[in-house]
Amino acid sequence: MSLARWSVVFLLVCASCEEVLREGDMAGECFDDADNDADGLFDCDDPDCAGATVCGGGGDADTDSDSDSDSDSDSDSDSDADTDTDTDTDTDTDTDAYAGPWQVSTIVWDCANNAYTYDVTTDGWAGDVHLEIFESSQWTAPSGSTVGVWSESHPMRNVEYAEDGSWDVWDLTLTEVSTVGNVVAGSTTLFECGVHGVSELTWNVSMLDDNAGLMDCGIWGHQSVAYWNGHLGESCFCFDC
């Protein structure tokens, strides 16, 4: 065979070995906006991509863009809710609370500038404290008549106290007035400083509980304790006797 004939055969064989390019041969070619096989058609417009999933086909055109869309559904919905109920309720009894006694401790009084002032301290909290003033010089006997004898009863004001309940302080100021109609409990009095003193009047301080029950009382002034207790039917101690 001549050289020229061998050349023709070689060319024919090599022509059959020419590489044929197709859109979609390489991964991602069906959506890369390129005409990879130079046939004038791009991506899904090229029939070679008709089987690609990205072009709506079901073929095996490799469209894997290696975008890992791992939809790990292992969302831990831990239902171990802490429902512990703290039952450690503090029921400790305060051992520092005052345990008594409940009594009138001190009484301080004065009469000046047309006013009487009183300060009373109690051991333990009081529900209330009252001051009674009795014109005892006009009363001849415990069993005698009290007609025409003037007496007054005044509530005192709590001004200070101990947090632990061990003491209370109460005070009262009574301003002199000249007529009975102007006497106001806890504010004014008909008794006059310099005229009505310990030689005319007897005072009684009563310490009451929250139910108005008598806890303690103290007496001072004109009459003796026995004389006043006989009138009240109580057992009050004598203050400043």
PDB file of all heavy atoms in Angstrom, residues 87-102:
ATOM      1  N   THR A  87     -39.748  22.593  98.650  1.00  0.00           N
ATOM      2  CA  THR A  87     -40.610  22.406  99.821  1.00  0.00           C
ATOM      3  C   THR A  87     -39.932  22.852 101.111  1.00  0.00           C
ATOM      4  O   THR A  87     -40.479  22.675 102.184  1.00  0.00           O
ATOM      5  CB  THR A  87     -41.009  20.920  99.962  1.00  0.00           C
ATOM      6  OG1 THR A  87     -39.826  20.122 100.054  1.00  0.00           O
ATOM      7  CG2 THR A  87     -41.819  20.475  98.745  1.00  0.00           C
ATOM      8  N   ASP A  88     -38.757  23.453 100.939  1.00  0.00           N
ATOM      9  CA  ASP A  88     -38.019  23.867 102.131  1.00  0.00           C
ATOM     10  C   ASP A  88     -38.554  25.204 102.620  1.00  0.00           C
ATOM     11  O   ASP A  88     -37.919  26.237 102.483  1.00  0.00           O
ATOM     12  CB  ASP A  88     -36.526  23.977 101.796  1.00  0.00           C
ATOM     13  CG  ASP A  88     -35.705  24.328 103.026  1.00  0.00           C
ATOM     14  OD1 ASP A  88     -36.230  24.170 104.140  1.00  0.00           O
ATOM     15  OD2 ASP A  88     -34.542  24.745 102.859  1.00  0.00           O
ATOM     16  N   THR A  89     -39.773  25.199 103.110  1.00  0.00           N
ATOM     17  CA  THR A  89     -40.381  26.412 103.645  1.00  0.00           C
ATOM     18  C   THR A  89     -39.802  26.680 105.031  1.00  0.00           C
ATOM     19  O   THR A  89     -39.808  25.810 105.902  1.00  0.00           O
ATOM     20  CB  THR A  89     -41.907  26.243 103.748  1.00  0.00           C
ATOM     21  OG1 THR A  89     -42.414  25.901 102.457  1.00  0.00           O
ATOM     22  CG2 THR A  89     -42.547  27.540 104.230  1.00  0.00           C
ATOM     23  N   ASP A  90     -39.322  27.909 105.187  1.00  0.00           N
ATOM     24  CA  ASP A  90     -38.667  28.248 106.444  1.00  0.00           C
ATOM     25  C   ASP A  90     -39.711  28.454 107.531  1.00  0.00           C
ATOM     26  O   ASP A  90     -40.406  29.458 107.557  1.00  0.00           O
ATOM     27  CB  ASP A  90     -37.836  29.525 106.243  1.00  0.00           C
ATOM     28  CG  ASP A  90     -37.013  29.838 107.482  1.00  0.00           C
ATOM     29  OD1 ASP A  90     -37.047  29.023 108.422  1.00  0.00           O
ATOM     30  OD2 ASP A  90     -36.336  30.874 107.494  1.00  0.00           O
ATOM     31  N   THR A  91     -39.822  27.483 108.391  1.00  0.00           N
ATOM     32  CA  THR A  91     -40.789  27.579 109.491  1.00  0.00           C
ATOM     33  C   THR A  91     -40.073  27.789 110.818  1.00  0.00           C
ATOM     34  O   THR A  91     -40.602  27.474 111.869  1.00  0.00           O
ATOM     35  CB  THR A  91     -41.654  26.299 109.565  1.00  0.00           C
ATOM     36  OG1 THR A  91     -40.793  25.151 109.701  1.00  0.00           O
ATOM     37  CG2 THR A  91     -42.479  26.139 108.290  1.00  0.00           C
ATOM     38  N   ASP A  92     -38.845  28.295 110.712  1.00  0.00           N
ATOM     39  CA  ASP A  92     -38.100  28.533 111.947  1.00  0.00           C
ATOM     40  C   ASP A  92     -38.832  29.533 112.821  1.00  0.00           C
ATOM     41  O   ASP A  92     -39.351  30.543 112.338  1.00  0.00           O
ATOM     42  CB  ASP A  92     -36.702  29.085 111.628  1.00  0.00           C
ATOM     43  CG  ASP A  92     -35.868  28.074 110.864  1.00  0.00           C
ATOM     44  OD1 ASP A  92     -36.236  26.887 110.908  1.00  0.00           O
ATOM     45  OD2 ASP A  92     -34.869  28.477 110.246  1.00  0.00           O
ATOM     46  N   THR A  93     -38.904  29.262 114.072  1.00  0.00           N
ATOM     47  CA  THR A  93     -39.502  30.182 115.027  1.00  0.00           C
ATOM     48  C   THR A  93     -38.428  31.114 115.555  1.00  0.00           C
ATOM     49  O   THR A  93     -37.365  30.662 115.975  1.00  0.00           O
ATOM     50  CB  THR A  93     -40.131  29.406 116.203  1.00  0.00           C
ATOM     51  OG1 THR A  93     -41.121  28.516 115.683  1.00  0.00           O
ATOM     52  CG2 THR A  93     -40.769  30.379 117.187  1.00  0.00           C
ATOM     53  N   ASP A  94     -38.689  32.412 115.438  1.00  0.00           N
ATOM     54  CA  ASP A  94     -37.711  33.392 115.881  1.00  0.00           C
ATOM     55  C   ASP A  94     -37.579  33.324 117.395  1.00  0.00           C
ATOM     56  O   ASP A  94     -38.465  33.752 118.129  1.00  0.00           O
ATOM     57  CB  ASP A  94     -38.160  34.792 115.433  1.00  0.00           C
ATOM     58  CG  ASP A  94     -37.094  35.832 115.732  1.00  0.00           C
ATOM     59  OD1 ASP A  94     -36.049  35.458 116.289  1.00  0.00           O
ATOM     60  OD2 ASP A  94     -37.325  37.013 115.408  1.00  0.00           O
ATOM     61  N   THR A  95     -36.459  32.781 117.819  1.00  0.00           N
ATOM     62  CA  THR A  95     -36.252  32.603 119.261  1.00  0.00           C
ATOM     63  C   THR A  95     -35.857  33.910 119.945  1.00  0.00           C
ATOM     64  O   THR A  95     -35.755  33.964 121.161  1.00  0.00           O
ATOM     65  CB  THR A  95     -35.167  31.541 119.524  1.00  0.00           C
ATOM     66  OG1 THR A  95     -33.958  31.942 118.835  1.00  0.00           O
ATOM     67  CG2 THR A  95     -35.604  30.189 118.988  1.00  0.00           C
ATOM     68  N   ASP A  96     -35.633  34.982 119.111  1.00  0.00           N
ATOM     69  CA  ASP A  96     -35.261  36.260 119.702  1.00  0.00           C
ATOM     70  C   ASP A  96     -36.489  37.109 120.042  1.00  0.00           C
ATOM     71  O   ASP A  96     -36.360  38.221 120.531  1.00  0.00           O
ATOM     72  CB  ASP A  96     -34.365  37.047 118.723  1.00  0.00           C
ATOM     73  CG  ASP A  96     -33.033  36.350 118.509  1.00  0.00           C
ATOM     74  OD1 ASP A  96     -32.602  35.657 119.437  1.00  0.00           O
ATOM     75  OD2 ASP A  96     -32.440  36.504 117.428  1.00  0.00           O
ATOM     76  N   ALA A  97     -37.698  36.637 119.729  1.00  0.00           N
ATOM     77  CA  ALA A  97     -38.909  37.406 120.010  1.00  0.00           C
ATOM     78  C   ALA A  97     -39.071  37.585 121.522  1.00  0.00           C
ATOM     79  O   ALA A  97     -38.751  36.699 122.312  1.00  0.00           O
ATOM     80  CB  ALA A  97     -40.130  36.711 119.425  1.00  0.00           C
ATOM     81  N   TYR A  98     -39.594  38.764 121.892  1.00  0.00           N
ATOM     82  CA  TYR A  98     -39.750  39.087 123.305  1.00  0.00           C
ATOM     83  C   TYR A  98     -40.769  38.154 123.957  1.00  0.00           C
ATOM     84  O   TYR A  98     -41.854  37.921 123.421  1.00  0.00           O
ATOM     85  CB  TYR A  98     -40.211  40.541 123.430  1.00  0.00           C
ATOM     86  CG  TYR A  98     -40.319  41.023 124.851  1.00  0.00           C
ATOM     87  CD1 TYR A  98     -39.183  41.202 125.631  1.00  0.00           C
ATOM     88  CD2 TYR A  98     -41.563  41.297 125.412  1.00  0.00           C
ATOM     89  CE1 TYR A  98     -39.288  41.651 126.941  1.00  0.00           C
ATOM     90  CE2 TYR A  98     -41.671  41.748 126.717  1.00  0.00           C
ATOM     91  CZ  TYR A  98     -40.529  41.921 127.477  1.00  0.00           C
ATOM     92  OH  TYR A  98     -40.629  42.361 128.769  1.00  0.00           O
ATOM     93  N   ALA A  99     -40.402  37.627 125.130  1.00  0.00           N
ATOM     94  CA  ALA A  99     -41.253  36.650 125.809  1.00  0.00           C
ATOM     95  C   ALA A  99     -41.852  37.183 127.110  1.00  0.00           C
ATOM     96  O   ALA A  99     -42.405  36.426 127.896  1.00  0.00           O
ATOM     97  CB  ALA A  99     -40.437  35.395 126.120  1.00  0.00           C
ATOM     98  N   GLY A 100     -41.766  38.504 127.328  1.00  0.00           N
ATOM     99  CA  GLY A 100     -42.376  39.079 128.513  1.00  0.00           C
ATOM    100  C   GLY A 100     -41.344  39.494 129.557  1.00  0.00           C
ATOM    101  O   GLY A 100     -40.150  39.247 129.403  1.00  0.00           O
ATOM    102  N   PRO A 101     -41.770  40.166 130.631  1.00  0.00           N
ATOM    103  CA  PRO A 101     -43.158  40.494 130.976  1.00  0.00           C
ATOM    104  C   PRO A 101     -43.676  41.713 130.210  1.00  0.00           C
ATOM    105  O   PRO A 101     -42.904  42.446 129.608  1.00  0.00           O
ATOM    106  CB  PRO A 101     -43.058  40.818 132.472  1.00  0.00           C
ATOM    107  CG  PRO A 101     -41.676  41.387 132.629  1.00  0.00           C
ATOM    108  CD  PRO A 101     -40.811  40.624 131.665  1.00  0.00           C
ATOM    109  N   TRP A 102     -45.000  41.896 130.229  1.00  0.00           N
ATOM    110  CA  TRP A 102     -45.645  43.052 129.630  1.00  0.00           C
ATOM    111  C   TRP A 102     -46.127  43.957 130.752  1.00  0.00           C
ATOM    112  O   TRP A 102     -47.044  43.593 131.493  1.00  0.00           O
ATOM    113  CB  TRP A 102     -46.811  42.606 128.748  1.00  0.00           C
ATOM    114  CG  TRP A 102     -46.344  42.040 127.440  1.00  0.00           C
ATOM    115  CD1 TRP A 102     -46.206  42.710 126.260  1.00  0.00           C
ATOM    116  CD2 TRP A 102     -45.942  40.692 127.193  1.00  0.00           C
ATOM    117  NE1 TRP A 102     -45.736  41.868 125.283  1.00  0.00           N
ATOM    118  CE2 TRP A 102     -45.567  40.612 125.826  1.00  0.00           C
ATOM    119  CE3 TRP A 102     -45.855  39.536 127.964  1.00  0.00           C
ATOM    120  CZ2 TRP A 102     -45.115  39.441 125.227  1.00  0.00           C
ATOM    121  CZ3 TRP A 102     -45.406  38.370 127.377  1.00  0.00           C
ATOM    122  CH2 TRP A 102     -45.034  38.333 126.026  1.00  0.00           C
TER     123      TRP A 102
END
